[in-house]
Amino acid sequence: MLSRIQAEPGVSRAELARRFGFSEMAATRIARDLLGAEIIEEFDLPDEDTGKQRRLGRPRKGLRINPQGVFAAGITVSAYFSEVSICDANGQTIARREVNNSSFEDAAETARLYSNALNALIKDTDIDISRIVGVGVALSAKTSPDRSEIVRSEYFGWENDGGQFWEEVRRNTGLPVVIENIANALALSEMRFGAARGISEFALAHVATFAGVGAVSEGRVVRGASGDAGRIGHFRSHQKPLRCTCGRDDCLNLSATGFGVLAKLGKLDHDTFDRSKLPVYATSLLAVIDDDANTPYLQVAGAGLAEALDPVAKILAPELIILSGILGSSTAYFEGAKQRLTAAYGYGPNNSFQLVKGEVSPAEAAALLALHTFCYSDRLDFERLNDSASNHDKGAAYA
């Protein structure tokens, strides 16, 4: 019901009752509880301009999310977006802060650094922490959200952390925590707040130094039996004088990604991915994207991704494919992928899927992940929010 109110601001109690198949009295009772917990708010709907005499009686009431009633926090661990953030109940970022981190060698130490930065941000914004539903963590890694573990990160060089990252953030902040792969976090964020809003079958390709896909079917992330779904960067492509993290020389990661582009432009002094140079990759790729002279190289890289998107589209039959990430959402790369799909694979207006740019940045995805997980789901801790609202009312009355 809360998700419906968020998706349709102004919806009435009667409309909610019809939508969910219960009585208007039940809808009124649920709405009263959400109003009391300060999660939603009620407002007068404008009279419909029907040309008829204005109807008499009580004004029509609609329900909408109270943007200041709930907040969510995020931690984005990336060489491109290294920051902590806070968003309101509508997903609008209200505070963010960069985190200086030149090394990602130890998962637990990284978690400690970012969670301490988040605590400082919460304190400086003076937000009541009891109104923060949870913390989302988005990073380049295979994760197991059900077990709260980072299973493996080829990007950072981490092995299974046994839940250390999750536990460090939870202990430091005192808040619920969810950890997710960056592509999946972006996909869930786009589904709730961005380009895939209202769409339950789509795929998102996140392209930066390397590439990965977050696929959503029936509104749920597709993880596969091993949890390794979406490793599009390891699709076999053209042989290159480079080495992927997996040891091969023909992965898509070496031709259609930032690493491949930097190598093609002679920006690398090595042929094997080097984790110690993550900040260098990020700085160099951002400079390449900003230089119009590199447009042809970005278009060629985008065309290389199209070769992988075609089988993805044929297997998943998505309604939408979203290109995201610092490279994936760049104009030249996007156009290169679109042109290749059109010329080589018959992509066009009559296709079953639409190719679009992402609307949510990786920096925003972490907090939006927390909002999706801990507010607009059955994991909402209503009792905590209701108690917080009650204590607020008592304090106001005492004052």
Side-chain angles (χ1 to χ4, degrees), residues 290-309:
D290 285 341
D291 187 347
D292 290 341
N294 296 318
T295 293
Y297 296 96
L298 301 181
Q299 290 177 331
V300 169
L305 182 74
E307 297 178 8
L309 293 182

Side-chain angles (χ1 to χ4, degrees), residues 13 34 102 114 131 233 245 263 279 283 318 325 337 367 386:
R13 293 168 174 80
L34 293 173
S102 59
Y114 282 85
R131 305 303 298 185
T245 56
T283 302
N386 192 47

Side-chain angles (χ1 to χ4, degrees), residues 70-332:
V70 167
F71 301 91
I75 292 174
T76 303
V77 185
S78 165
Y80 297 90
F81 300 96
S82 174
E83 63 179 64
V84 292
S85 61
I86 301 171
C87 71
D88 67 18
N90 285 326
Q92 297 298 310
T93 301
I94 60 174
R96 62 196 305 175
R97 180 171 297 167
E98 291 187 7
V99 179
N100 294 322
N101 186 22
S102 59
S103 174
F104 300 91
E105 291 184 4
D106 182 77
E109 183 57 36
T110 300
R112 194 171 303 116
L113 174 69
Y114 282 85
S115 56
N116 287 339
L118 178 57
N119 281 336
L121 181 64
I122 294 172
K123 181 179 180 181
D124 290 347
T125 53
D126 202 28
I127 291 174
D128 182 356
I129 197 168
S130 68
R131 305 303 298 185
I132 299 178
V133 292
V135 181
V137 178
L139 73 175
S140 297
K142 174 186 175 182
T143 64
S144 175
D146 291 341
R147 298 198 305 271
S148 304
E149 290 180 349
I150 294 174
V151 178
R152 181 186 67 254
S153 175
E154 297 171 343
Y155 189 71
F156 297 124
W158 298 342
E159 299 299 330
N160 192 308
D161 77 336
Q164 283 187 322
F165 198 111
W166 176 89
E167 177 58 29
E168 192 69 39
V169 176
R170 188 202 61 78
R171 182 172 57 246
N172 282 0
T173 63
L175 294 167
V177 180
V178 58
I179 294 183
E180 186 60 272
N181 167 271
I182 183 65
N184 290 339
L186 280 162
L188 291 170
S189 300
E190 294 282 4
M191 181 177 68
R192 173 70 63 179
F193 301 99
R197 190 165 184 168
I199 296 174
S200 60
E201 301 285 340
F202 69 96
L204 178 144
H206 173 256
V207 189
T209 303
F210 289 142
V213 163
V216 172
S217 180
E218 297 182 350
R220 299 174 65 87
V221 170
V222 176
R223 300 187 185 278
S226 65
D228 259 351
R231 301 179 74 205
I232 193 174
H234 295 287
F235 277 22
R236 299 295 176 254
S237 184
H238 309 286
Q239 281 191 315
K240 297 288 181 181
L242 304 168
R243 288 290 168 184
C244 182
T245 56
C246 67
R248 296 187 63 94
D249 63 357
D250 58 354
C251 287
L252 190 72
N253 274 334
L254 305 179
S255 56
T257 65
F259 188 74
V261 170
L262 292 176
K264 184 72 174 178
L265 289 169
K267 303 291 185 180
L268 303 180
D269 59 2
H270 52 283
D271 58 11
T272 301
F273 175 71
D274 184 347
R275 297 180 184 92
S276 69
K277 297 184 180 298
L278 287 176
V280 176
Y281 297 151
T283 302
S284 300
L285 184 58
L286 289 169
V288 165
I289 293 172
D290 285 341
D291 187 347
D292 290 341
N294 296 318
T295 293
Y297 296 96
L298 301 181
Q299 290 177 331
V300 169
L305 182 74
E307 297 178 8
L309 293 182
D310 179 60
V312 167
K314 287 181 168 63
I315 293 170
L316 297 179
E319 184 176 344
L320 201 68
I321 293 182
I322 302 170
L323 296 195
S324 183
I326 195 68
L327 180 58
S329 60
S330 68
T331 298

